[in-house]
Amino acid sequence: MLTHKTVKEFLDELASSSPAPGGGSVAALCGSLASALCSMVCRLTIGKKKYADVSDELQAVLEKTEFYRNEFTRLIDEDTKVFNLVMEAYNLPKETEEDLAARSAAIEEALKKAVDVPMEVLKYTSEVIELAINVANKGNINSISDASVGALLLQSTGLSALYNILINLKSIQDHAYVSKKQEELNIYTSRIESFSVAMKEIAHKNFT
């Protein structure tokens, strides 16, 4: 499993000629890193006398950011698994009409799975970015840059997941499925964009 490798081992595999792990796994990793940064800032805030009025709130936020950290981490390996399923489907025999029909059906099913994983990443990103903004606003001021990095990483996570969704959607023949997924990604990306504006305001206030 990718998540059991050292950082160096993961990066070496990522830099290799193998197409997986690729951008999808990296998107999930960015989400996990961002969530971890938010958790860290929560822990550096909770119990501090100066932040007593927000300690309970950030304790609740911490529980959520840890949930998202674990989910994003799970999706690092999940993305590579579904990519491999797509490759296996494309490598199915195509000698006869029956072969071609079976291959097409397998490709369609594998591509949908390859959409569902980054869609999950995008959904989680649209949810956890609100927590990141909250942490940046109310967390330990000495760690404001860490919370801000987390929020910025989530913007990258969202865009990266979006690109991985779109590249697979364009090859799917099920138009009803494609339409439904486009509606979902529009909801999630709009939410991420709105919180990205809030992040810029926080940065302007604290870093200029």
Side-chain angles (χ1 to χ4, degrees), residues 48-112:
K48 297 289 194 299
K49 185 177 179 180
K50 182 178 177 181
Y51 301 99
D53 58 333
V54 297
S55 284
D56 288 346
E57 180 181 354
L58 290 190
Q59 180 62 53
V61 169
L62 174 60
E63 293 174 8
K64 293 176 181 177
T65 56
E66 284 296 271
F67 165 80
Y68 289 116
R69 179 168 70 91
N70 290 328
E71 285 299 291
F72 280 126
T73 301
R74 173 180 64 81
L75 291 167
I76 294 171
D77 279 300
E78 196 63 29
D79 189 87
T80 295
K81 288 178 185 176
V82 295
F83 176 84
N84 289 334
L85 287 177
V86 172
M87 291 298 97
E88 289 170 10
Y90 274 111
N91 287 327
L92 288 173
K94 45 185 177 179
E95 301 301 321
T96 66
E97 291 297 322
E98 290 79 7
D99 285 344
L100 289 171
R103 179 176 178 271
S104 294
I107 290 172
E108 185 86 347
E109 181 181 357
L111 285 171
K112 287 180 178 179

Side-chain angles (χ1 to χ4, degrees), residues 169-183:
L169 278 182
K170 66 187 292 186
S171 299
I172 293 176
Q173 304 303 311
D174 184 343
H175 298 301
Y177 174 88
V178 171
S179 179
K180 179 183 177 183
K181 293 302 175 182
Q182 286 175 332
E183 289 177 5

Side-chain angles (χ1 to χ4, degrees), residues 119-137:
M119 187 67 80
E120 198 171 358
V121 171
L122 187 64
K123 175 179 181 292
Y124 286 147
T125 302
S126 74
E127 295 167 349
V128 75
I129 194 169
E130 181 177 8
L131 301 175
I133 299 299
N134 195 18
V135 170
N137 269 323

Side-chain angles (χ1 to χ4, degrees), residues 12-67:
D12 285 344
E13 187 163 347
L14 184 64
S16 74
S17 59
S18 172
S25 291
V26 169
L29 174 60
C30 284
S32 185
L33 290 170
S35 300
L37 278 171
C38 291
S39 292
M40 181 191 77
V41 178
C42 285
R43 289 189 168 103
L44 290 171
T45 307
I46 295 165
K48 297 289 194 299
K49 185 177 179 180
K50 182 178 177 181
Y51 301 99
D53 58 333
V54 297
S55 284
D56 288 346
E57 180 181 354
L58 290 190
Q59 180 62 53
V61 169
L62 174 60
E63 293 174 8
K64 293 176 181 177
T65 56
E66 284 296 271
F67 165 80

